Amino acid sequence: MCTTVDYNNGTEECVIALVFSCPGTEEEKSQKLVSGKTGENLDIVLQYLSKKLSSIFHSTDRYDYRITNSSNIVHPNANDSRTQPLNSEIKAENNLNRLYSEIKEYKYVISFGKKAKFAVDSCIEGKKKAPHHIHYRLHLGLQSINRQIKQDINGNEIVAGKNKNERQKNNQIRLEVIKKELLAIIQKESKSA
């Protein structure tokens, strides 16, 4: 049996839906999306974006936004060691219908990572009414950002941390890169919306 975690509503003022890959064990335990370190990273990014683009990002609290996933099935679970949904799971008609119903009323949808982009593109394809899709290349989980961000905002190599303090400092450095990249993408894309 597959365990699922449903979307987060957000507030009435919200014009943005945030789409991630799928719930994991942290989300399964808490029954809240983007729990754990991914959620902490999202909060830091939202604090920055709400200062820079307050007309779009009305809050610094992640749960004031619509949050959903490309699949609502928890990965990994007892029967499955995958941490990402298969494309066939994402493309299932009932899943695409679910996702579309969760994002269709929003002005913008921001997808984080390849699976989220694939899901959003698949569910809005051919729809007359669809939010403006803004894609950010990375998921905000530690595994993704540690593996893919190798340089700071000035182009200097990020040296692997040897202890907890160094690793936390590196996480902050990587989040600075994410904030800068994401702000530039949203500013560009929101002008064409």
Side-chain angles (χ1 to χ4, degrees), residues 124-141:
I124 65 174
E125 183 179 16
K127 301 279 198 257
K128 289 182 181 177
K129 181 180 180 180
H132 186 80
H133 183 194
I134 299 170
H135 174 65
Y136 183 63
R137 65 188 178 96
L138 301 176
H139 187 283
L140 296 183

Side-chain angles (χ1 to χ4, degrees), residues 87-100:
N87 286 349
S88 59
E89 179 183 322
I90 293 170
K91 287 284 278 190
E93 184 177 355
N94 64 338
N95 186 61
L96 292 180
N97 290 339
R98 171 201 59 84
L99 182 58
Y100 180 70

Side-chain angles (χ1 to χ4, degrees), residues 1-5 21-24 69-77 80 82-85 89 95 98:
M1 180 176 160
C2 293
T3 305
T4 63
V5 179
S21 177
C22 64
N69 284 298
S70 64
S71 168
N72 65 347
I73 297 172
V74 175
H75 292 283
N77 62 33
D80 183 359
R82 286 182 290 111
T83 60
Q84 297 284 319
E89 179 183 322
N95 186 61
R98 171 201 59 84

Side-chain angles (χ1 to χ4, degrees), residues 24 31 47 82 100 123 147 156 170 179:
Q31 287 297 295
Q47 287 171 9
R82 286 182 290 111
Y100 180 70
C123 85
R147 188 176 62 241
N156 300 313
N170 284 347
K179 291 187 290 189

Side-chain angles (χ1 to χ4, degrees), residues 7-153:
Y7 65 89
N8 179 74
N9 273 323
T11 62
E12 288 184 22
E13 300 85 26
C14 182
V15 297
I16 299 172
L18 306 173
V19 180
F20 290 85
S21 177
C22 64
T25 53
E26 288 291 324
E27 289 79 9
E28 184 177 31
K29 288 177 198 171
S30 69
Q31 287 297 295
K32 286 187 167 191
L33 294 180
V34 292
S35 295
K37 201 62 178 167
T38 300
E40 292 173 23
N41 289 343
L42 178 58
D43 284 345
I44 292 166
V45 170
L46 289 173
Q47 287 171 9
Y48 177 78
L49 292 174
S50 70
K51 288 178 187 171
K52 299 291 186 180
L53 298 170
S54 60
S55 63
I56 300 172
F57 292 90
H58 70 289
S59 175
T60 59
D61 183 342
R62 69 187 112 146
Y63 295 115
D64 285 344
Y65 297 88
R66 168 58 58 98
I67 301 172
T68 190
N69 284 298
S70 64
S71 168
N72 65 347
I73 297 172
V74 175
H75 292 283
N77 62 33
N79 300 320
D80 183 359
S81 62
R82 286 182 290 111
T83 60
Q84 297 284 319
L86 296 171
N87 286 349
S88 59
E89 179 183 322
I90 293 170
K91 287 284 278 190
E93 184 177 355
N94 64 338
N95 186 61
L96 292 180
N97 290 339
R98 171 201 59 84
L99 182 58
Y100 180 70
S101 73
E102 292 172 4
I103 66 171
K104 69 182 179 182
E105 301 300 324
Y106 292 85
K107 183 172 183 178
Y108 303 102
V109 61
I110 302 174
S111 59
F112 291 89
K114 292 177 186 176
K115 293 292 183 174
K117 179 185 186 314
F118 177 72
V120 172
D121 286 345
S122 297
C123 85
I124 65 174
E125 183 179 16
K127 301 279 198 257
K128 289 182 181 177
K129 181 180 180 180
H132 186 80
H133 183 194
I134 299 170
H135 174 65
Y136 183 63
R137 65 188 178 96
L138 301 176
H139 187 283
L140 296 183
L142 286 179
Q143 184 178 24
S144 176
I145 67 175
N146 288 341
R147 188 176 62 241
Q148 297 183 55
I149 298 177
K150 301 294 185 191
Q151 297 177 336
D152 67 16
I153 58 174

